[in-house]
Amino acid sequence: VCPKMAVAEGTARQVSVAELSQVFVEELEGRDDDADWEIEDWSKTHVVQELRRLGANAESIKLGDEVRLVFSATLTASVVDLSPGVAAHFTEDGKLAFLAFNVLDARAARRLALAKEFEP
């Protein structure tokens, strides 16, 4: 479990996601997997654009074995797996609502560690 995100269940706090979103953008752009995206609800280009549009901060919430970095408190309609243990949840109109990290997955926990506590 990522020690920086080991907070009380349901507790929310602000974290900086600039580095994390950039890492996902670079990784997705570097993959030669365009054909794999045909089965997803959103194209690879759309997902990358949404990651680029993210603000600098998100609200971090721990729910059991999952930590969510929330950008928009709206209902989600679809999910796209970004990497092992990490899923992007989108609204009906294609906006990225939150990223979900399975903290039991070591790879996902390492990615989550890139989200830094927000310091105003």
Side-chain angles (χ1 to χ4, degrees):
V1 174
C2 176
K4 292 184 76 85
M5 296 298 166
V7 296
E9 186 77 17
T11 302
R13 64 181 181 189
Q14 290 291 309
V15 294
S16 171
V17 295
E19 182 180 357
L20 176 66
S21 60
Q22 184 58 38
V23 165
F24 276 123
V25 165
E26 290 173 6
E27 179 183 316
L28 291 176
E29 287 181 329
R31 289 184 193 163
D32 185 21
D33 64 351
D34 291 344
D36 296 340
W37 285 82
E38 292 176 9
I39 62 168
E40 299 291 352
D41 290 328
W42 302 104
S43 70
K44 180 177 178 177
T45 301
H46 177 81
V47 172
V48 168
Q49 287 172 345
E50 284 299 303
L51 287 165
R52 282 195 172 122
R53 286 187 185 125
L54 292 179
N57 302 311
E59 187 173 74
S60 171
I61 302 171
K62 184 173 185 333
L63 302 166
D65 294 334
E66 181 177 271
V67 171
R68 292 181 178 181
L69 299 183
V70 181
F71 310 104
S72 171
T74 56
L75 294 176
T76 60
S78 60
V79 178
V80 175
D81 292 327
L82 297 183
S83 65
V86 183
H89 292 251
F90 290 86
T91 62
E92 231 174 63
D93 63 352
K95 302 293 183 213
L96 181 55
F98 66 89
L99 295 174
F101 294 78
N102 177 342
V103 295
L104 298 179
D105 185 301
R107 296 162 295 190
R110 280 193 299 275
R111 290 292 174 82
L112 183 58
L114 295 173
K116 311 290 188 215
E117 284 200 57
F118 177 69
E119 296 178 20

